[in-house]
Amino acid sequence: MDKVAEILAEASAEAVEPRFRALSAGEVMEKAPGEIVTIADREAEAIIARRLHELLPVPVVGEEAVAADPALAQAIHDEPAVWLVDPVDGTSNFVAGRPDYAVMCSLVRGGLTVASWIWQPVAATAYRAELGAGAWRDGERLTRPPAPADAGKLTGILKSRFLAPADRRRMEANCSVFGEIDPGRSAAGIEYPEVVEGRVDFIFYWRTLPWDHAPGSLLLTEAGGVAARMDGSPYRPEAPGCEDGLLIAADPDTWELTRGVLLNA
């Protein structure tokens, strides 16, 4: 666990942090319509992938490698174990000079996330989780504090960008029941810890790219929270294309209450 944390922090120090608020125009590219990538993403992923493979020689499924060759993501289903890597989670924030970005990875075995790491460079904060062994922040064990039982006192984030327009309008209207809807931080590596530490009570995501959600979902569930699809099935990393929604919440009661409100059930 310590070695992987070191790999992320060292790759960040070498390839990411020196470019924060110092990117030149030629170091920011569009990898798909509306999706940007930077030289920092690509260099950090190469460093992390090489060192993780040296540590445990299983396939490395990195966000930028999959952008170049989507077939690589099939390893999540085909291989007994894989590393998942998000070299700069929150690239749009990074490019804009906002501090809300993270460097993340996770280890998946048999379809289950068994270990995860999140490094927040600006805050110099390290999160890690191990299946059955707990969630930690800088060596301190994390337990999600209780959420309010009243929907009107809950704070949440609704990530509705990728929803169909009618579904987006319906869910946004249903959210009027809650106490506050936060706009989010545009980075799962920032948002999941906010739920774990009690600053937000729930988040609904539609798009669930595996490198975005495997690290934080394990951190949350090991701290006592819930990460489940809208049918109640526990979250498992899937290759891109599984866009059927993910609701994360402080605890089982908050998950059920939030799901009912969002679906108007």
Side-chain angles (χ1 to χ4, degrees):
M1 296 295 290
D2 290 343
K3 187 63 177 176
V4 175
E6 290 174 8
I7 289 171
L8 296 190
E10 290 169 3
S12 176
E14 179 177 342
V16 179
E17 294 162 52
R19 295 188 169 101
F20 183 51
R21 297 174 178 163
L23 287 164
S24 66
E27 293 177 331
V28 181
M29 295 72 73
E30 189 175 60
K31 61 182 177 181
E35 299 282 345
I36 57 174
V37 65
T38 75
I39 189 171
D41 297 76
R42 289 173 173 170
E43 288 191 3
E45 182 169 302
I47 294 167
I48 294 167
R50 173 178 54 80
R51 295 190 61 189
L52 289 179
H53 195 264
E54 290 171 353
L55 187 65
L56 179 67
V58 301
V60 179
V61 178
E63 178 178 9
E64 306 315 327
V66 171
D69 182 1
L72 294 175
Q74 190 59 34
I76 298 170
H77 304 292
D78 294 347
E79 299 291 336
V82 297
W83 293 106
L84 295 176
V85 175
D86 191 342
V88 182
D89 175 56
T91 298
S92 62
N93 292 333
F94 180 75
V95 170
R98 295 189 293 267
D100 291 336
Y101 69 93
V103 181
M104 308 193 298
C105 80
S106 53
L107 179 62
V108 177
R109 289 187 184 275
L112 289 175
T113 308
V114 297
S116 69
W117 299 260
I118 299 172
W119 169 244
Q120 296 178 349
V122 175
T125 300
Y127 297 90
R128 66 183 73 183
E130 187 175 1
L131 185 63
W136 307 83
R137 180 195 59 222
D138 294 334
E140 176 186 357
R141 185 152 192 171
L142 297 171
T143 301
R144 163 66 211 212
D150 180 355
K153 296 180 179 178
L154 293 176
T155 296
I157 296 172
L158 179 69
K159 307 303 281 284
S160 59
R161 173 186 170 193
F162 296 100
L163 280 168
D167 292 332
R168 182 169 61 249
R169 289 192 295 270
R170 176 172 54 85
M171 279 201 175
E172 288 174 350
N174 292 345
C175 280
S176 63
V177 171
F178 297 118
E180 182 181 350
I181 295 298
D182 187 286
R185 302 292 180 267
S186 299
I190 302 296
E191 293 165 346
Y192 273 91
E194 290 203 323
V195 178
V196 173
E197 296 179 322
R199 293 186 290 276
V200 177
D201 298 311
F202 71 87
I203 307 176
F204 174 79
Y205 295 97
W206 182 248
R207 189 170 73 163
T208 54
L209 299 174
W211 40 80
D212 285 337
H213 294 278
S217 64
L218 183 63
L219 185 77
L220 176 62
T221 55
E222 285 297 312
V226 178
R229 302 292 187 180
M230 295 302 276
D231 64 2
S233 58
Y235 170 77
R236 289 192 175 203
E238 302 278 356
C242 183
E243 314 288 335
D244 58 357
L246 172 63
L247 177 61
I248 71 169
D251 51 64
D253 288 344
T254 302
W255 191 93
E256 292 288 353
L257 173 61
T258 303
R259 178 186 181 275
V261 170
L262 289 176
L263 299 182
N264 198 20

